[in-house]
Amino acid sequence: MSGTEREDGGAIQGLAGQTVVVVGGSAGIGLETARQARAAGAEVVLAARNAERLRQAADELKPLSTAAFDAQDTCRLEDFVRELPGTVDHVLVTAGSPSYRPLAEIDPAESGREFGGRIAMMLAVARAGREKVRAGGTLLFIGGTGGRRPAVGMAVTGAVTAALPALTANLALEVAPVRMNLIAAGFVDTPLSAALLGDRLEERREQLRKTLPIGRVVGPADVAALATHIMVNEALTGATYDIDGGQQLLGTDPAAHQTGPWALPESTLGHLTP
């Protein structure tokens, strides 16, 4: 068997000629993934909440189509996937934003909606995607690593961080032969990170440059490269793939692992909500 063939005799394909749907495709990781998919010869479909950013992304990437809506409206999200024309190859969902609140500031009902909303988004895409995505294609989601380490203010984010890999693994059995995977990102230098950190952004970048084993900050292009690899490697399903520049290897050094909105967030659970 050659290095470009699968055991079943099929060829390992790149993204050329495929269709990649990106929910959250107007900025950050979603936009960069769409760029890399287009550069590899794929067609793209873009969805995002911010209509103006979506228009700008469309001007750059010339997608097959666009849709402006809030992915946290899971009925709308499921309908969007279900109503895609024809069969698509891959769906990437980057929607979701982190919740950093200490217990004293938590609204239980609101936090329940935040937690349930993340679960519901994956369920909605899985339910529609198993009928819309071709066999061997992937449903791919962006999660995070920050909530793995207990900290004040990370209760909701930590619960979601723990839940998403289990949900991914279980749903992968039900959507097969469509594949389902999760990317767990550490701190990524996205517009959302800039919005969270404000004038502390450069301090955070410099801190990571000095402490991360890779010696630099992880950017959207790094995560997008992993996303496109997961799309083309049809042996990958039901798994969570960490990408954090070695951040989790640094132990409990407080200078490297401050969390919460009152400190320097270790990671963003999701990235820009579309």
Side-chain angles (χ1 to χ4, degrees), residues 9-251:
I12 297 174
Q13 301 292 332
L15 286 175
Q18 298 190 13
T19 300
V20 177
V21 180
V22 183
V23 180
S26 67
I29 291 168
L31 177 58
E32 186 57 38
T33 303
R35 285 173 175 151
Q36 292 190 20
R38 287 292 282 146
E43 300 288 353
V44 296
V45 174
L46 303 179
R49 183 177 62 181
N50 187 299
E52 177 56 27
R53 285 202 304 259
L54 182 60
R55 184 193 63 77
Q56 293 172 2
D59 287 345
E60 174 188 348
L61 297 176
K62 305 299 187 290
L64 293 173
S65 63
T66 63
F69 66 93
D70 187 344
Q72 295 183 65
D73 180 346
T74 54
C75 291
R76 178 69 182 89
L77 175 61
E78 184 170 0
D79 287 344
F80 165 74
V81 176
R82 197 182 305 280
E83 294 168 4
L84 289 166
T87 299
V88 300
D89 296 279
H90 311 286
V91 178
L92 169 67
V93 181
T94 70
S97 57
S99 174
Y100 299 123
R101 295 188 189 91
L103 181 60
E105 298 176 11
I106 283 178
D107 179 318
E110 181 181 351
S111 294
R113 287 191 294 271
E114 290 173 353
F115 179 85
R118 289 286 295 187
I119 303 301
M121 278 195 289
M122 292 182 70
L123 292 172
V125 172
R127 191 161 67 170
R130 64 180 176 176
E131 306 296 336
K132 182 56 61 172
V133 175
R134 66 165 173 84
T138 192
L139 305 173
L140 181 58
F141 299 84
I142 303 294
T145 62
R148 293 177 183 173
R149 180 175 295 105
V152 173
M154 297 292 283
V156 176
T157 291
V160 176
T161 300
L164 297 190
L167 185 61
T168 299
N170 282 276
L171 288 177
L173 296 174
E174 297 201 47
V175 302
V178 176
R179 298 177 295 118
M180 186 157 179
N181 291 288
L182 176 70
I183 292 175
F187 181 91
V188 182
D189 199 347
T190 64
L192 177 58
S193 297
L196 287 170
L197 288 167
D199 59 9
R200 295 171 296 171
L201 176 61
E202 190 51 45
E203 178 186 354
R204 181 57 167 158
R205 287 169 173 162
E206 186 58 27
Q207 180 189 75
L208 291 168
R209 292 184 190 111
K210 291 178 179 178
T211 58
L212 287 181
I214 64 171
R216 64 176 180 85
V217 181
V218 176
D222 298 306
V223 185
L226 176 57
T228 55
H229 172 73
I230 292 170
M231 290 175 189
V232 301
N233 189 331
E234 295 189 5
L236 305 179
T237 193
T240 299
Y241 301 90
D242 290 4
I243 179 166
D244 66 355
Q247 192 170 353
Q248 295 175 90
L249 307 177
L250 301 179

